[in-house]
Amino acid sequence: MLSKQQLIEYSEDARKNYVNHISIDCVVFGFHEGQMKVLLLKTHNEEKWYLPGGFVLKQEPIDDAADRILKERTGLDKIFLQQFKVFGDPDRSKVHNDMYQGLIPQEQNWFSGRFISIGYYALVDFFGVSPQQDQFSELCTWRDLDDMPEMELDHENIYKTALDTLRLQLNYQPIGYNLMPKEFTMPELQKLYETILGKKLDRRNFQRRILGFGILNRSEQPRKGGAHKAPYLYSFDLENYQHALTEGFKGGW
């Protein structure tokens, strides 16, 4: 929570530079050691968790604002970023309204009134991210999909909506280029899909279907090492991958 003086200074700066009552909240997905992960912020001296987010500069396009906010939190340029929903419940900012009630006049308080938030989700390379906290937070870190803390405001709803959108996307667009390393095995790619979907997939059916999309290249040599038969390495065919993102494909997992 900001002090009275901090709230005055922040509100003055925000009213001067940002579009009033429009925010952006981002659900950042990464994949590491067979686990789907989400990037979260924890506030100073409190066990309160939020999604990375921010506000839109007055002369800034919405998508550019999302790119800027994610670069500040992750250090990454050219993130795969998808706008998925606008969140506008009248009471979604009630926590902040109550928190700063009476600290300064309502008309001077940037956090008073109603905020409409534009939701984006991002798919990023786990190893490429350098998590950076914002001025309200003491920690910016990854949390496993099966170990998510309770979040403030409506951020849990935003996160769950993003995950549902990502699962739906698997039915008509490819997933993986932004999450997997440059080369990977078929079991590793299947594990990504299973983690997102939250269910097991038949190995043979998965391999037949994913190869049928024509978005993978197989290396001539299998992965070296290991006691068992070494699996072949695959990489994404970027031209076909981009075509599938644009044109889509049919079916479900």
Side-chain angles (χ1 to χ4, degrees):
M1 179 176 176
L2 299 178
S3 68
K4 179 178 179 179
Q5 186 59 37
Q6 287 173 323
L7 180 59
I8 291 173
E9 293 174 356
Y10 186 88
S11 295
E12 288 178 350
D13 178 72
R15 286 198 305 274
K16 178 181 178 181
N17 295 300
Y18 295 106
V19 178
N20 195 28
H21 298 321
I22 296 179
S23 62
I24 289 176
D25 287 302
C26 302
V27 184
V28 184
F29 292 107
F31 188 67
H32 178 55
E33 294 183 344
Q35 287 282 343
M36 200 72 176
K37 297 177 180 289
V38 179
L39 197 65
L40 296 182
L41 294 164
K42 188 176 87 68
T43 54
H44 289 289
N45 303 317
E46 297 178 295
E47 197 65 29
K48 294 184 178 180
W49 295 85
Y50 295 85
L51 295 168
F55 302 108
V56 182
L57 294 168
K58 289 185 175 179
Q59 300 301 318
E60 185 178 38
I62 297 294
D63 287 347
D64 289 355
D67 286 334
R68 171 180 54 81
I69 290 166
L70 263 297
K71 184 176 181 181
E72 291 170 356
R73 298 286 73 78
T74 67
L76 294 179
D77 276 321
K78 299 178 181 179
I79 292 177
F80 177 87
L81 205 55
Q82 181 72 46
Q83 185 183 134
F84 65 95
K85 188 176 179 179
V86 174
F87 298 84
D89 190 287
D91 291 329
R92 66 177 306 272
S93 301
K94 187 176 185 303
V95 171
H96 279 157
N97 291 340
D98 293 346
M99 183 185 301
Y100 296 114
Q101 185 79 30
L103 200 59
I104 62 175
Q106 186 171 354
E107 63 272 14
Q108 297 178 18
N109 182 0
W110 174 255
F111 295 105
S112 67
R114 179 178 178 180
F115 274 87
I116 294 173
S117 187
I118 303 169
Y120 284 81
Y121 73 82
L123 307 178
V124 302
D125 176 6
F126 177 88
F127 292 103
V129 172
S130 298
Q132 299 292 325
Q133 65 266 35
D134 61 20
Q135 67 188 97
F136 302 106
S137 308
E138 66 179 16
L139 181 66
C140 181
T141 188
W142 293 104
R143 295 294 296 257
D144 290 349
L145 212 63
D146 58 1
D147 184 35
M148 294 288 287
E150 182 178 346
M151 286 183 271
E152 296 297 305
L153 303 174
D154 58 350
H155 286 200
E156 185 168 350
N157 180 40
I158 295 174
Y159 148 68
K160 289 181 176 179
T161 303
L163 182 58
D164 288 343
T165 304
L166 184 60
R167 286 169 172 166
L168 180 63
Q169 182 184 343
L170 282 180
N171 291 321
Y172 60 89
Q173 285 183 320
I175 290 288
Y177 172 67
N178 310 83
L179 296 167
M180 299 295 291
K182 183 177 179 181
E183 290 188 314
F184 48 87
T185 66
M186 190 63 69
E188 289 168 345
L189 184 61
Q190 181 174 336
K191 180 62 176 178
L192 170 65
Y193 274 63
E194 289 176 340
T195 303
I196 294 173
L197 292 170
K199 65 179 183 181
K200 288 288 187 180
L201 300 173
D202 180 79
R203 180 181 61 83
R204 292 183 179 179
N205 287 341
F206 176 84
Q207 181 167 324
R208 182 171 62 251
R209 184 161 186 243
I210 202 73
L211 291 176
F213 295 146
I215 60 174
L216 298 180
N217 293 322
R218 194 180 84 168
S219 64
E220 294 183 1
Q221 299 295 327
R223 174 178 285 173
K224 296 180 180 179
H228 303 287
K229 182 179 179 182
Y232 278 94
L233 290 169
Y234 291 85
S235 60
F236 285 105
D237 184 311
L238 292 187
E239 183 176 347
N240 289 347
Y241 188 95
Q242 292 297 330
H243 178 78
L245 281 176
T246 303
E247 300 298 326
F249 45 70
K250 297 180 181 180
W253 296 96

